Coordinates of all heavy atoms in Angstrom, one line a residue:
E808 N 111.5 120.8 75.0 CA 111.2 121.9 74.1 C 111.2 123.2 74.8 O 110.7 123.2 75.9 CB 109.9 121.7 73.4 CG 109.8 120.5 72.5 CD 108.4 120.3 71.8 OE1 107.5 121.1 72.1 OE2 108.3 119.4 71.0
P809 N 111.6 124.3 74.2 CA 111.4 125.6 74.9 C 110.0 125.9 75.1 O 109.2 125.6 74.3 CB 112.1 126.6 74.0 CG 112.0 125.9 72.6 CD 112.2 124.5 72.9
R810 N 109.7 126.5 76.3 CA 108.3 126.9 76.6 C 107.8 128.0 75.6 O 108.5 129.0 75.5 CB 108.2 127.4 78.0 CG 106.7 127.6 78.4 CD 106.7 128.0 80.0 NE 107.0 126.9 80.8 CZ 106.2 126.0 81.1 NH1 104.9 126.0 80.8 NH2 106.5 124.9 82.0
P811 N 106.7 127.8 75.0 CA 106.3 128.9 74.1 C 105.8 130.1 74.8 O 105.6 130.0 76.0 CB 105.1 128.2 73.4 CG 104.5 127.1 74.3 CD 105.8 126.7 75.1
A812 N 105.8 131.2 74.1 CA 105.3 132.4 74.7 C 103.8 132.3 75.1 O 103.1 131.7 74.4 CB 105.5 133.6 73.7
P813 N 103.5 132.8 76.3 CA 102.1 132.7 76.7 C 101.1 133.4 75.7 O 101.5 134.5 75.1 CB 102.1 133.5 78.1 CG 103.5 133.4 78.5 CD 104.4 133.5 77.3
V814 N 99.9 132.8 75.6 CA 98.9 133.4 74.8 C 98.1 134.3 75.7 O 97.2 133.8 76.4 CB 98.0 132.4 74.1 CG1 96.9 133.0 73.2 CG2 98.9 131.4 73.2
I815 N 98.4 135.6 75.7 CA 97.6 136.5 76.6 C 96.4 137.0 75.8 O 96.5 137.7 74.8 CB 98.5 137.7 77.0 CG1 99.8 137.1 77.6 CG2 97.8 138.6 78.0 CD1 99.6 136.3 78.9
Y816 N 95.3 136.7 76.3 CA 94.0 137.1 75.6 C 93.5 138.4 76.2 O 93.4 138.6 77.3 CB 93.0 136.0 75.8 CG 91.7 136.4 75.1 CD1 91.5 136.3 73.7 CD2 90.6 136.7 75.9 CE1 90.3 136.6 73.1 CE2 89.4 137.1 75.3 CZ 89.3 137.0 73.9 OH 88.1 137.3 73.3
A817 N 93.1 139.2 75.3 CA 92.5 140.5 75.6 C 91.1 140.6 75.0 O 90.7 139.8 74.2 CB 93.3 141.7 75.2
D818 N 90.3 141.5 75.5 CA 88.9 141.7 75.1 C 88.8 142.4 73.7 O 87.8 142.5 73.2 CB 88.2 142.5 76.1 CG 88.0 141.7 77.4 OD1 87.9 140.5 77.3 OD2 87.8 142.3 78.4
S819 N 90.0 142.8 73.1 CA 90.0 143.4 71.9 C 91.0 142.9 71.0 O 91.9 143.5 70.6 CB 90.2 145.0 72.0 OG 91.4 145.2 72.8
E820 N 90.8 141.6 70.6 CA 91.8 140.9 69.7 C 91.4 141.3 68.3 O 90.3 141.6 67.9 CB 91.7 139.5 69.9 CG 92.3 139.0 71.3 CD 93.8 139.1 71.3 OE1 94.5 138.9 70.3 OE2 94.4 139.3 72.3
P821 N 92.4 141.1 67.3 CA 92.1 141.4 66.0 C 91.1 140.5 65.3 O 90.5 140.9 64.3 CB 93.5 141.2 65.3 CG 94.5 141.4 66.4 CD 93.8 140.9 67.6
W822 N 90.9 139.3 65.9 CA 89.9 138.4 65.3 C 88.5 139.0 65.1 O 87.7 138.6 64.4 CB 89.8 137.1 66.2 CG 89.2 137.4 67.5 CD1 89.9 137.5 68.7 CD2 87.8 137.4 67.8 NE1 89.0 137.7 69.7 CE2 87.7 137.7 69.2 CE3 86.7 137.4 67.1 CZ2 86.5 137.8 69.9 CZ3 85.4 137.6 67.7 CH2 85.4 137.8 69.1
S823 N 88.3 140.1 66.0 CA 87.0 140.7 66.0 C 86.6 141.3 64.6 O 85.4 141.5 64.3 CB 86.8 141.8 67.0 OG 87.8 142.8 66.8
N824 N 87.6 141.5 63.8 CA 87.4 142.0 62.4 C 87.3 140.8 61.4 O 87.2 141.1 60.2 CB 88.5 143.0 62.0 CG 88.5 144.2 62.9 OD1 87.5 144.7 63.3 ND2 89.6 144.6 63.3
D825 N 87.4 139.6 61.8 CA 87.4 138.5 60.9 C 85.9 138.0 60.9 O 85.3 137.5 61.8 CB 88.2 137.3 61.6 CG 88.4 136.2 60.6 OD1 87.4 135.9 59.9 OD2 89.4 135.5 60.7
P826 N 85.3 138.2 59.7 CA 83.8 137.8 59.6 C 83.6 136.3 59.7 O 82.5 135.9 60.3 CB 83.5 138.2 58.1 CG 84.8 138.3 57.4 CD 85.9 138.7 58.4
L827 N 84.6 135.4 59.4 CA 84.4 134.0 59.6 C 84.3 133.7 61.1 O 83.4 132.9 61.6 CB 85.5 133.2 58.9 CG 85.5 133.2 57.4 CD1 86.7 132.4 56.9 CD2 84.1 132.6 56.9
L828 N 85.2 134.2 61.9 CA 85.2 134.0 63.3 C 83.9 134.6 63.9 O 83.3 134.1 64.8 CB 86.5 134.6 64.0 CG 87.8 133.7 63.9 CD1 88.9 134.5 64.5 CD2 87.5 132.4 64.6
T829 N 83.6 135.8 63.5 CA 82.4 136.5 64.0 C 81.2 135.6 63.8 O 80.3 135.4 64.6 CB 82.2 137.8 63.4 OG1 83.4 138.7 63.7 CG2 81.0 138.5 64.0
S830 N 81.1 135.1 62.6 CA 80.0 134.2 62.2 C 79.9 133.0 63.0 O 78.9 132.6 63.5 CB 80.0 133.9 60.8 OG 79.0 133.0 60.4
Y831 N 81.1 132.4 63.3 CA 81.2 131.2 64.0 C 80.8 131.4 65.5 O 79.9 130.7 66.0 CB 82.6 130.7 64.0 CG 83.0 129.6 65.0 CD1 82.3 128.4 65.1 CD2 84.0 129.8 66.0 CE1 82.6 127.4 66.0 CE2 84.2 128.8 66.9 CZ 83.5 127.6 66.9 OH 83.8 126.7 67.8
L832 N 81.2 132.5 66.1 CA 80.9 132.8 67.5 C 79.4 133.1 67.6 O 78.7 132.7 68.6 CB 81.6 134.0 68.0 CG 83.1 133.8 68.3 CD1 83.9 135.1 68.6 CD2 83.2 132.8 69.4
E833 N 78.7 133.7 66.6 CA 77.4 134.0 66.6 C 76.5 132.8 66.5 O 75.4 132.8 67.0 CB 77.0 135.0 65.6 CG 77.5 136.4 65.8 CD 77.2 137.4 64.6 OE1 76.8 136.9 63.6 OE2 77.4 138.6 64.8
S834 N 77.1 131.8 65.9 CA 76.3 130.5 65.6 C 76.3 129.6 66.8 O 75.4 128.7 66.8 CB 76.8 129.8 64.4 OG 78.1 129.3 64.7
V835 N 77.2 129.7 67.8 CA 77.3 128.6 68.8 C 76.5 129.1 70.1 O 76.2 130.2 70.2 CB 78.8 128.4 69.2 CG1 79.6 127.9 68.0 CG2 79.4 129.7 69.8
V836 N 76.0 128.1 70.8 CA 75.4 128.3 72.1 C 76.4 128.0 73.2 O 76.8 126.8 73.3 CB 74.1 127.4 72.1 CG1 73.5 127.5 73.5 CG2 73.2 127.7 71.0
V837 N 76.7 128.9 74.0 CA 77.7 128.7 75.0 C 77.1 128.2 76.3 O 77.8 127.7 77.2 CB 78.6 129.9 75.3 CG1 79.4 130.2 74.0 CG2 77.8 131.1 75.7
D838 N 75.8 128.4 76.5 CA 75.1 128.0 77.7 C 73.7 127.5 77.4 O 72.9 128.4 77.1 CB 75.1 129.2 78.7 CG 74.5 128.9 80.1 OD1 74.1 127.7 80.3 OD2 74.5 129.7 81.0
D839 N 73.5 126.2 77.6 CA 72.2 125.7 77.2 C 71.2 125.7 78.5 O 70.1 125.3 78.3 CB 72.3 124.2 76.7 CG 72.9 123.3 77.6 OD1 73.1 123.6 78.7 OD2 73.2 122.2 77.1
G840 N 71.8 126.1 79.6 CA 70.9 126.3 80.8 C 70.4 124.9 81.4 O 69.4 124.9 82.1
A841 N 71.1 123.8 81.1 CA 70.6 122.5 81.5 C 71.7 121.8 82.3 O 72.1 120.7 81.8 CB 70.2 121.7 80.3
P842 N 72.1 122.3 83.4 CA 73.1 121.5 84.2 C 72.5 120.2 84.8 O 71.3 120.1 85.2 CB 73.5 122.4 85.3 CG 72.2 123.3 85.5 CD 71.7 123.4 84.1
V843 N 73.2 119.1 84.8 CA 72.7 117.9 85.3 C 73.6 117.2 86.4 O 73.4 116.1 86.7 CB 72.5 116.8 84.2 CG1 71.4 117.4 83.2 CG2 73.8 116.6 83.4
D844 N 74.6 117.9 86.8 CA 75.5 117.4 87.8 C 74.8 117.3 89.2 O 74.2 118.2 89.6 CB 76.8 118.1 87.8 CG 77.6 117.9 86.5 OD1 77.9 116.8 86.2 OD2 77.8 118.9 85.8
G845 N 75.3 116.3 90.0 CA 74.8 116.2 91.4 C 75.7 117.1 92.3 O 76.7 117.7 91.9
I846 N 75.2 117.1 93.6 CA 75.8 118.0 94.5 C 77.3 117.6 94.8 O 78.3 118.4 94.8 CB 75.1 118.0 95.9 CG1 73.7 118.7 95.7 CG2 76.0 118.7 97.0 CD1 73.9 120.2 95.4
L847 N 77.6 116.3 94.9 CA 79.0 115.8 95.1 C 79.9 116.2 94.0 O 81.0 116.7 94.2 CB 79.0 114.3 95.5 CG 78.6 113.9 96.8 CD1 78.5 112.4 96.9 CD2 79.5 114.5 97.9
S848 N 79.3 116.0 92.8 CA 80.2 116.3 91.6 C 80.5 117.8 91.5 O 81.5 118.3 91.2 CB 79.5 115.9 90.3 OG 79.3 114.4 90.2
E849 N 79.4 118.6 91.8 CA 79.6 120.1 91.8 C 80.6 120.5 92.8 O 81.5 121.3 92.6 CB 78.2 120.7 92.0 CG 78.2 122.2 91.9 CD 78.6 122.9 93.2 OE1 78.4 122.3 94.3 OE2 79.1 124.1 93.2
K850 N 80.6 119.9 94.0 CA 81.5 120.3 95.1 C 82.9 119.9 94.7 O 83.9 120.6 94.9 CB 81.2 119.5 96.4 CG 79.9 120.2 97.1 CD 79.6 119.5 98.4 CE 78.5 120.1 99.2 NZ 78.8 121.5 99.7
N851 N 83.1 118.7 94.0 CA 84.4 118.3 93.7 C 84.9 119.1 92.5 O 86.2 119.4 92.4 CB 84.4 116.8 93.3 CG 85.8 116.2 93.6 OD1 85.8 115.0 94.0 ND2 86.9 116.9 93.6
M852 N 84.0 119.6 91.7 CA 84.5 120.5 90.7 C 85.2 121.8 91.2 O 86.2 122.2 90.8 CB 83.4 120.9 89.7 CG 82.8 119.8 88.8 SD 81.5 120.4 87.8 CE 80.6 118.9 87.5
R853 N 84.5 122.3 92.2 CA 85.0 123.5 92.9 C 86.3 123.2 93.7 O 87.2 124.0 93.8 CB 83.9 124.1 93.8 CG 82.9 124.9 93.0 CD 81.9 125.7 93.9 NE 81.0 124.8 94.6 CZ 81.1 124.6 95.9 NH1 82.1 125.2 96.6 NH2 80.3 123.9 96.6
L854 N 86.3 122.0 94.2 CA 87.5 121.6 95.0 C 88.8 121.4 94.0 O 89.9 121.4 94.5 CB 87.3 120.3 95.8 CG 88.3 119.9 96.8 CD1 88.6 121.0 97.8 CD2 87.8 118.7 97.6
L855 N 88.4 121.3 92.8 CA 89.5 121.2 91.8 C 89.9 122.5 91.1 O 91.0 122.7 90.7 CB 89.2 120.1 90.6 CG 89.2 118.7 91.0 CD1 88.6 117.9 90.0 CD2 90.6 118.2 91.3
T856 N 89.0 123.5 91.1 CA 89.2 124.7 90.5 C 89.7 125.8 91.5 O 90.6 126.6 91.2 CB 88.0 125.2 89.7 OG1 86.9 125.3 90.6 CG2 87.7 124.3 88.5
E857 N 88.9 125.9 92.6 CA 89.2 127.0 93.5 C 90.6 127.0 94.1 O 91.3 128.0 94.2 CB 88.2 127.0 94.7 CG 88.2 128.2 95.5 CD 89.1 128.2 96.7 OE1 89.7 127.1 97.0 OE2 89.4 129.2 97.3
P858 N 91.2 125.8 94.5 CA 92.6 125.9 95.0 C 93.6 126.4 94.1 O 94.6 127.0 94.4 CB 92.8 124.4 95.4 CG 91.5 123.8 95.6 CD 90.6 124.5 94.6
L859 N 93.4 126.1 92.7 CA 94.3 126.6 91.7 C 94.3 128.1 91.7 O 95.3 128.8 91.6 CB 94.1 126.0 90.4 CG 94.2 124.5 90.3 CD1 94.1 124.0 88.8 CD2 95.5 124.0 90.9
N860 N 93.1 128.6 91.7 CA 92.9 130.1 91.6 C 93.4 130.7 92.9 O 93.9 131.9 92.9 CB 91.5 130.5 91.3 CG 91.0 130.1 89.9 OD1 91.8 130.3 89.0 ND2 89.8 129.7 89.8
S861 N 93.3 130.1 94.1 CA 93.6 130.7 95.3 C 95.1 130.5 95.7 O 95.7 131.3 96.4 CB 92.8 130.1 96.4 OG 91.4 130.3 96.3
S862 N 95.7 129.3 95.3 CA 97.0 128.9 95.9 C 98.1 128.5 94.9 O 99.2 128.2 95.3 CB 96.7 127.8 96.9 OG 95.7 128.1 97.9
W863 N 97.7 128.3 93.7 CA 98.7 127.8 92.7 C 99.4 128.9 92.0 O 98.6 129.8 91.5 CB 98.0 126.8 91.7 CG 99.0 126.0 91.0 CD1 100.2 125.4 91.4 CD2 98.9 125.8 89.5 NE1 100.7 124.7 90.3 CE2 100.0 124.9 89.2 CE3 98.0 126.1 88.5 CZ2 100.2 124.4 87.9 CZ3 98.2 125.6 87.2 CH2 99.4 124.8 86.9
D864 N 100.7 128.9 91.8 CA 101.4 129.9 91.1 C 101.5 129.7 89.6 O 102.2 130.4 88.9 CB 102.7 130.2 91.7 CG 102.7 130.7 93.1 OD1 101.7 131.5 93.4 OD2 103.5 130.4 93.9
G865 N 101.0 128.5 89.2 CA 101.1 128.2 87.8 C 102.3 127.2 87.6 O 103.0 126.9 88.6
P866 N 102.4 126.6 86.4 CA 103.6 125.6 86.2 C 104.9 126.3 86.3 O 105.8 125.5 86.5 CB 103.2 125.2 84.7 CG 102.5 126.4 84.0 CD 101.7 127.0 85.2
A867 N 105.0 127.6 86.1 CA 106.3 128.3 86.3 C 106.1 129.8 86.5 O 105.0 130.3 86.2 CB 107.2 128.1 85.0
P868 N 107.1 130.4 87.1 CA 106.8 131.9 87.4 C 106.5 132.6 86.1 O 107.1 132.5 85.1 CB 108.2 132.3 88.0 CG 108.8 131.1 88.5 CD 108.4 130.0 87.7
G869 N 105.4 133.4 86.2 CA 105.0 134.3 85.1 C 104.2 133.6 84.0 O 103.8 134.3 83.1
V870 N 104.0 132.3 84.2 CA 103.1 131.6 83.2 C 101.7 131.6 83.6 O 101.3 131.0 84.7 CB 103.7 130.1 83.0 CG1 102.8 129.4 82.0 CG2 105.1 130.1 82.6
P871 N 100.8 132.2 82.8 CA 99.5 132.3 83.2 C 98.7 131.0 83.0 O 99.2 130.1 82.2 CB 98.8 133.4 82.3 CG 99.7 133.3 81.0 CD 101.1 132.9 81.5
F872 N 97.5 130.8 83.5 CA 96.7 129.7 83.3 C 95.2 130.0 83.6 O 94.9 131.0 84.2 CB 97.1 128.5 84.3 CG 96.8 128.7 85.7 CD1 95.6 128.3 86.2 CD2 97.7 129.5 86.5 CE1 95.3 128.5 87.6 CE2 97.4 129.7 87.8 CZ 96.2 129.2 88.4
V873 N 94.3 129.2 83.1 CA 92.9 129.3 83.4 C 92.4 127.9 83.8 O 92.9 126.9 83.3 CB 92.1 129.8 82.3 CG1 92.5 131.2 81.9 CG2 92.2 128.9 81.0
T874 N 91.4 127.9 84.7 CA 90.8 126.6 85.1 C 89.3 126.9 85.1 O 88.9 127.9 85.6 CB 91.3 126.1 86.5 OG1 90.6 125.0 86.8 CG2 91.1 127.2 87.5
M875 N 88.6 125.9 84.6 CA 87.1 126.1 84.5 C 86.4 124.8 84.8 O 87.0 123.7 84.7 CB 86.7 126.5 83.0 CG 87.4 127.7 82.5 SD 87.0 128.0 80.8 CE 88.1 129.4 80.4
A876 N 85.2 124.9 85.3 CA 84.3 123.8 85.6 C 83.0 123.8 84.9 O 82.3 124.8 84.8 CB 84.0 123.7 87.1
N877 N 82.7 122.7 84.1 CA 81.4 122.6 83.4 C 81.2 123.7 82.4 O 80.1 124.2 82.3 CB 80.3 122.6 84.5 CG 79.1 121.8 83.9 OD1 79.2 121.0 83.0 ND2 77.9 122.1 84.6
V878 N 82.3 124.0 81.7 CA 82.3 125.1 80.7 C 82.6 124.4 79.4 O 83.4 123.5 79.2 CB 83.3 126.3 81.0 CG1 83.4 127.2 79.8 CG2 82.9 127.0 82.2
G879 N 81.9 124.9 78.3 CA 82.0 124.3 76.9 C 83.4 124.5 76.4 O 84.0 125.6 76.4
L880 N 84.0 123.4 75.9 CA 85.3 123.4 75.1 C 84.9 123.3 73.7 O 84.6 122.3 73.2 CB 86.1 122.3 75.6 CG 87.3 121.9 74.8 CD1 88.3 123.1 74.6 CD2 88.1 120.7 75.4
F881 N 85.0 124.5 73.0 CA 84.7 124.6 71.5 C 85.9 124.3 70.8 O 86.9 125.1 70.7 CB 84.1 125.9 71.3 CG 82.8 126.2 71.9 CD1 82.8 126.7 73.2 CD2 81.6 125.9 71.2 CE1 81.5 126.9 73.9 CE2 80.3 126.2 71.8 CZ 80.3 126.7 73.2
H882 N 86.1 123.1 70.3 CA 87.3 122.6 69.7 C 87.3 122.6 68.2 O 88.4 122.7 67.6 CB 87.6 121.2 70.2 CG 86.5 120.2 70.0 ND1 86.2 119.5 68.9 CD2 85.5 119.9 70.9 CE1 85.2 118.7 69.0 NE2 84.6 119.0 70.3
T883 N 86.2 122.4 67.5 CA 86.1 122.2 66.1 C 84.9 122.9 65.5 O 83.8 122.6 66.0 CB 86.1 120.7 65.7 OG1 87.1 120.0 66.4 CG2 86.2 120.5 64.2
R884 N 85.2 123.7 64.5 CA 84.0 124.4 63.9 C 83.1 123.4 63.3 O 83.5 122.4 62.7 CB 84.5 125.3 62.8 CG 85.3 126.5 63.3 CD 85.6 127.5 62.2 NE 86.6 128.4 62.6 CZ 87.0 129.6 62.0 NH1 86.3 129.8 60.8 NH2 87.9 130.3 62.3
G885 N 81.8 123.6 63.5 CA 80.7 122.7 62.9 C 80.4 121.6 63.9 O 79.5 120.8 63.6
E886 N 81.2 121.4 65.0 CA 80.9 120.4 66.0 C 80.4 121.0 67.3 O 80.9 122.1 67.6 CB 82.1 119.5 66.2 CG 82.5 118.6 65.0 CD 83.6 117.6 65.4 OE1 83.8 117.4 66.5 OE2 84.2 117.1 64.4
P887 N 79.5 120.3 68.0 CA 79.2 120.8 69.3 C 80.3 120.7 70.3 O 81.3 119.9 70.1 CB 78.0 119.8 69.7 CG 78.3 118.6 69.0 CD 78.9 119.0 67.7

Side-chain angles (χ1 to χ4, degrees):
E808 296 181 355
R810 186 177 291 277
V814 180
I815 307 298
Y816 177 73
D818 291 330
S819 56
E820 289 285 330
W822 68 263
S823 59
N824 296 321
D825 185 330
L827 290 178
L828 279 174
T829 301
S830 175
Y831 168 59
L832 287 173
E833 290 176 348
S834 68
V835 299
V836 176
V837 296
D838 186 352
D839 61 11
V843 294
D844 293 298
I846 291 295
L847 282 176
S848 295
E849 186 272 339
K850 285 182 179 292
N851 211 146
M852 290 180 206
R853 285 189 289 107
L854 191 51
L855 286 168
T856 56
E857 193 273 349
L859 297 188
N860 291 323
S861 297
S862 306
W863 193 46
D864 294 328
V870 177
F872 70 92
V873 295
T874 178
M875 304 176 185
N877 208 20
V878 170
L880 167 55
F881 294 84
H882 52 84
T883 307
R884 294 191 193 186
E886 292 189 18

